[in-house]
Amino acid sequence: MTAKLDQHAGQFKALGSPVRLAILRTIVQGAEDGTIVGDIQAKLDIPWSTLSHHLDQLTRTGLIVARREGTFIYHRADIKILRALTDYLWEDCCKGGKSKKTSCC
């Protein structure tokens, strides 16, 4: 297997949790410069310890980035990484082993 495949498999595994997917969607829908952890917790009504665990999983896979400002921690989606993940799904779509593009993409 390739490193790229391993990386994407880990990212999809992280997104396989309904809680982590809800956290990521909340972050994506938040401010461009990041969403405060307290806002994520309040919106999703997740215990702090559980939220911390899930944020750590998403951060380790590179899907989100954390930034501390004073006593606040902001999380933002890494759009480049998310785009690469979704592009991977569509890479070579509908080619059936051929190099020509078809109309499905």
Side-chain angles (χ1 to χ4, degrees):
M1 287 206 247
T2 68
K4 181 174 158 181
L5 183 61
D6 288 340
Q7 177 186 7
H8 290 319
Q11 291 166 335
F12 280 116
K13 182 178 178 184
L15 294 175
S17 161
V19 173
R20 284 193 288 272
L21 190 54
I23 291 167
L24 180 62
R25 292 224 2 110
T26 299
I27 292 169
V28 167
Q29 293 167 351
E32 187 177 333
D33 62 339
T35 304
I36 298 171
V37 173
D39 291 348
I40 300 167
Q41 195 275 332
K43 181 174 182 180
L44 298 177
D45 194 28
I46 299 172
W48 287 103
S49 60
T50 302
L51 178 59
S52 177
H53 165 75
H54 290 300
L55 287 169
D56 183 55
Q57 293 283 14
L58 291 167
T59 302
R60 276 193 275 145
T61 60
L63 297 171
I64 64 172
V65 177
R67 173 179 52 85
R68 181 177 290 278
E69 256 187 46
T71 59
F72 296 102
I73 300 174
Y74 293 81
H75 286 83
R76 66 169 180 77
D78 189 324
I79 300 302
K80 184 178 175 184
I81 296 293
L82 287 169
R83 177 73 64 194
L85 183 60
T86 56
D87 286 350
Y88 175 74
L89 289 177
W90 297 108
E91 189 177 283
D92 301 326
C93 90
C94 304
K95 289 183 182 179
K98 299 177 183 115
S99 62
K100 292 187 217 173
K101 276 200 164 203
T102 62
S103 62
C104 73
C105 300

